[in-house]
């Protein structure tokens, strides 16, 4: 089943986010390589060409997990959790009823 992992950053966490981004992305890439990732990405504080200027309010991940406890356990061991970037993690079940290919791809730096 799919689950939404909505993580909310601590204020002023950009420096820590950048320091631990590679390890955070490795875990998400593993979900992708296992065919379990629907989508993932950061939530910028503002719409701007370089979101690293204003930072991020959190992250959103939608992925397949056997159950809510597994999704929660995965989220709770993220490098952003372990290093104090995320202030809160919310996990919700998600029923995908529509799917569309993205028209553009934008990767956070």
């Amino acid at each position: 089943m799919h689950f939404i992992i909505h993580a909310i950053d601590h204020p002023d966490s950009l420096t820590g986010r950048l320091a631990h981004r590679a390890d955070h992305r490795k875990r998400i890439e593993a979900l992708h390589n296992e065919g379990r990732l629907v989508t993932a990405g950061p939530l910028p504080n503002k719409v701007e060409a370089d979101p690293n200027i204003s930072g991020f309010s959190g992250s959103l991940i939608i992925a397949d997990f056997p159950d809510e406890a597994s999704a929660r356990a995965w989220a709770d061991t993220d490098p952003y959790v372990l290093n104090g970037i995320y202030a809160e993690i919310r996990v919700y079940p998600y029923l995908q009823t529509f799917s569309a290919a993205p028209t553009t791809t934008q990767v956070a730096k």
Side-chain angles (χ1 to χ4, degrees):
M1 170 155 208
H2 291 132
F3 288 88
I4 292 173
I5 298 171
H6 177 207
I8 300 166
D9 284 19
H10 281 286
D12 302 317
S13 61
L14 182 59
T15 301
R17 195 178 242 278
L18 296 174
H20 299 286
R21 181 174 281 161
D23 291 334
H24 168 75
R25 288 180 55 95
K26 283 180 191 175
R27 296 180 82 237
I28 295 170
E29 288 169 5
L31 286 177
H32 174 73
N33 293 338
E34 294 166 6
R36 297 171 46 201
L37 184 66
V38 175
T39 190
L43 304 171
N45 283 324
K46 293 182 180 179
V47 176
E48 55 193 341
D50 183 359
N52 289 324
I53 294 169
S54 297
F56 302 90
S57 64
S59 300
L60 181 81
I61 299 166
I62 302 176
D64 187 47
F65 292 93
D67 52 46
E68 189 170 344
S70 298
R72 168 65 61 185
W74 186 91
D76 286 344
T77 57
D78 189 279
Y80 285 176
V81 172
L82 301 176
N83 291 285
I85 286 76
Y86 290 155
E88 182 180 355
I89 301 261
R90 298 175 183 167
V91 176
Y92 307 99
Y94 175 71
L95 297 175
Q96 183 176 1
T97 55
F98 293 96
S99 180
T103 56
T104 60
T105 302
Q106 190 172 34
V107 177
K109 297 178 182 177

